[in-house]
Amino acid sequence: MTQRIVIIGAGMATGRALEHLFDAGADVNVTLFNAEPRGNYNRIMLSPVLAGDKTYEEIVTHDADWYAANGVTCRFGERVAAVDRAAKTVTAANGDVLPYDKLIFGTGSDPFMIPLPGHDLEGVIAYRDLEDTERMMSLGPDNKVVVIGGGLFGLEA
């Protein structure tokens, strides 16, 4: 019997989970939600994109053809507003209610912005996704920056 799987988040972990499901020949019907308007890409490679050494297209792990070939229903740019574990449904932000047999959360995290004076000024950017990378790139090469934080991206920046 086909399992209905809803996945919330299209990061690297859920991308690998999908690969394992399909490689194992699982009989699944997958719906993939992602708040970002795209599917899986190698987030670790955002620093080379920022540096101009790679393009976004070079760090995509699953493109539209891959999702289509595997029958994944993509709900990119959409958030899940509610999960009803008792009814085994998720409710999308637009009100759509989807039943599931299995639910996978892979939502990642949000960067912590230190609440110091000025943290909300123009040009103060958290670094987590492609939009952040593109925003920094749009500032141009002649701008000086200060990096606060020692996470993966902070150390590479």
Side-chain angles (χ1 to χ4, degrees), residues 10-140:
M12 293 172 61
T14 58
R16 289 294 292 152
L18 285 169
E19 290 170 6
H20 286 292
L21 282 170
F22 299 136
D23 288 348
D27 185 11
V28 294
N29 180 334
V30 177
T31 300
L32 177 61
F33 283 90
N34 196 29
E36 290 184 58
R38 67 191 59 81
N40 305 110
Y41 61 94
N42 187 340
R43 191 177 305 275
I44 294 171
M45 297 306 291
L46 284 172
S47 293
V49 172
L50 179 62
D53 298 333
K54 290 196 174 290
T55 64
Y56 166 72
E57 291 74 21
E58 291 175 301
I59 67 169
V60 169
T61 52
H62 302 127
D63 61 16
D65 292 338
W66 187 88
Y67 291 115
N70 287 289
V72 177
T73 301
C74 299
R75 308 271 310 242
F76 299 149
E78 294 187 53
R79 294 181 180 272
V80 170
V83 174
D84 184 333
R85 291 176 52 210
K88 290 190 132 183
T89 62
V90 297
T91 302
N94 70 359
D96 290 351
V97 178
L98 288 80
Y100 66 83
D101 297 307
K102 301 287 183 188
L103 177 63
I104 299 173
F105 283 92
T107 56
S109 62
D110 287 324
F112 177 72
M113 294 295 285
I114 300 172
L116 295 173
H119 77 278
D120 54 352
L121 293 174
E122 179 66 29
V124 177
I125 303 168
Y127 189 15
R128 180 179 184 274
D129 58 27
L130 182 63
E131 280 76 20
D132 299 333
T133 304
E134 290 173 338
R135 190 168 159 214
M136 286 186 274
M137 291 170 71
S138 74
L139 296 173

